[in-house]
Amino acid sequence: MDKKVRSAERICIAAIIVLAVIALACIAILLTGREEQPTETEKTVQKETEGEKKLTEENDFLPSGVLYGERLPVTEFTDGTGEKKELSEYKGKMLVIAFWGSWCKYCEQFLEHSEEFRELLEERKDTNMVLIDKLDQDKGESREKVRALLSEKKVGLECLYDEGLKAYKAYGVKRIPTVIVLDDEGIVRYAASDVPESREALDSVLDYVKYGGSEAAEKFIASQLSGSEGGIYTNYTGKSGTHPTGHDVLSESQGLMMEYAVLADDQGAFDRAYDFLKANMYEQGIFSWYVTADGEKAGANALLDDLRICRALCMAEEQWGGYGKEVEELADAILKYNVYGDSMSSFYDFFQESPGSVISLCYGDLDALGRLQEQNNKWGELKDRMAAIVQDGYIGDGFPLYFSSYDYDKKKYSQDSINTAEALMTLYHLAEAGLLKETSEEWLLEQLEGDGLAARYNVDGTVVRGYDYETTAVYAIAGLIGYESGNAGIYTRALQKIEQNRIWDTGSSFYGSFMNQEAGDDIIAFDQLMPLILYGYSKDVLFGS
């Protein structure tokens, strides 16, 4: 019996030793390879917070010191002979910068595509591409090693060197390879913690930088998400038992397209969206908030949507002329139906023939109200009251957002949970009016750089159970807040999240659209249109100028 026990002990000890060796080997591999592209497991690094995964995990590897709409903090490198070279020498064309190292196996995989990249750039004639070697002495890197590898791989791209890792540190590069794309004026327009894996992928990124993200998205909406009359479908695939869904059309969508069309100087697209509204959703001078695919109109309007349509009409009148009467008629109808007492009402019930006694704070489009002030002094009074109601609805510095709604009869704000898209729309309207609180701005940036923006929050700031997912539209609204407030950090982190939801494959019928993987993989109109608005306003944004 003792022999059997001793034999079993020896087997156990041997097994423990083997496991220890394997564990040490794994640790060594992780320590030596952490700077290269991670495995699929590493790509989904999660920050555990109360058992929920971090929404912004993909952003963890993006270069933290590189902000869209700004110039790079370091632009001087050295060439193969040690001579200094400035990135400004490439001004006049777009510039693709690829950080890499000769010891990085994922960088070698990138180099395998270098010839097809070079051929693409020769054809496009609008872009230069340069490799930036991380001249890391701790890795034993040297110009000689780099030249030998580039020669062996027959890489025809120019290579510069980051001596002392000045740029690497200033850019906040987390891993290599990392790609940054500048426009023809040297302004950052794109950054990714990986590299294009094909000629087509690089071509897609360059078109994105050159033409803006709106071009492909607009084409997708027109060809895949719209009817022949110009109505934009609520969503692409899903059709639930309740309206609006499927090929139903929202006044929200038509108004957003009208606003974007003005920004894009596309009067044809503007008129198509507006003509659909007038033909299918018009009711007593205002617009039903949706119409079904069968032509049945909703029994109420939505103030926010009608104000957005007013805003778009005002913008169209300024840009093209010919819409002044339309503005006046819609403004008069809103005054007639969407005023409760002496304040704005969220909706007018066509069946009850009365406005509601509640106002959603996100409906406080102060910009639109200001534009309408020129039509009637009454609008100035309504704008002031709306601004006061919104600002008094501030929850507090601990959770610096605003309550969702105010009940005039009860004289109190709702304590219900907050839809994040609506909460950020409130912040956006305040930002447009120059009324955004610094605490709100700081909170938003903190979320974008931390756990991300969940779909719904309780008024104490905790995420509502089951709503720990994100949507493209929320990040688009966050980007608009960054744009309006001049906060490049908010703008960049929001746009990078939008880019991660974008379909980049030019061969896909969904190219240019945005999907929310955690929200059902469907294509929702609001998630397509809000990025369009962001792109329309901020295409050539330059912060700090």
Side-chain angles (χ1 to χ4, degrees), residues 237-255:
T237 60
K239 188 172 182 181
S240 66
T242 57
H243 296 290
T245 185
H247 287 188
D248 298 347
V249 175
L250 301 169
S251 59
E252 169 186 80
S253 301
Q254 301 305 111

Side-chain angles (χ1 to χ4, degrees), residues 52-70:
E52 298 176 353
K53 82 174 184 177
K54 182 177 178 182
L55 297 175
T56 54
E57 57 195 23
E58 293 181 56
N59 281 10
D60 288 345
F61 300 110
L62 291 167
S64 58
V66 174
L67 299 177
Y68 291 5
E70 291 192 350

Side-chain angles (χ1 to χ4, degrees), residues 25-135:
C26 290
I27 291 170
I29 290 170
L30 287 171
L31 290 174
T32 56
R34 287 192 67 82
E35 207 166 37
E36 300 172 2
Q37 287 280 31
T39 64
E40 287 303 311
T41 301
E42 289 175 304
K43 283 182 179 178
T44 56
V45 171
Q46 296 182 358
K47 177 182 178 180
E48 296 298 327
T49 306
E50 297 179 356
E52 298 176 353
K53 82 174 184 177
K54 182 177 178 182
L55 297 175
T56 54
E57 57 195 23
E58 293 181 56
N59 281 10
D60 288 345
F61 300 110
L62 291 167
S64 58
V66 174
L67 299 177
Y68 291 5
E70 291 192 350
R71 300 185 186 277
L72 290 171
V74 172
T75 59
E76 185 180 270
F77 299 90
T78 56
D79 62 17
T81 65
E83 293 294 316
K84 293 180 180 179
K85 188 151 187 175
E86 270 281 340
L87 295 185
S88 59
E89 296 178 32
Y90 300 96
K91 194 174 180 181
K93 290 186 176 183
M94 292 184 291
L95 178 63
V96 180
I97 300 168
F99 270 89
W100 76 296
S102 66
W103 69 90
C104 167
K105 65 180 181 180
Y106 295 98
C107 299
E108 286 194 41
Q109 293 174 8
F110 160 66
L111 294 179
E112 292 174 2
H113 300 285
S114 63
E115 182 58 23
E116 57 183 296
F117 291 161
R118 188 188 63 77
E119 291 175 355
L120 171 65
L121 301 185
E122 282 187 359
E123 291 177 16
R124 290 186 62 105
K125 302 185 186 304
D126 61 359
T127 308
N128 289 310
M129 185 171 190
V130 61
L131 305 175
I132 304 290
D133 179 72
K134 187 188 175 192
L135 202 56

Side-chain angles (χ1 to χ4, degrees), residues 268-282:
F270 181 93
D271 287 339
R272 282 192 298 276
Y274 187 43
D275 287 346
F276 182 91
L277 274 169
K278 291 186 292 184
N280 299 278
M281 308 179 77
Y282 185 85

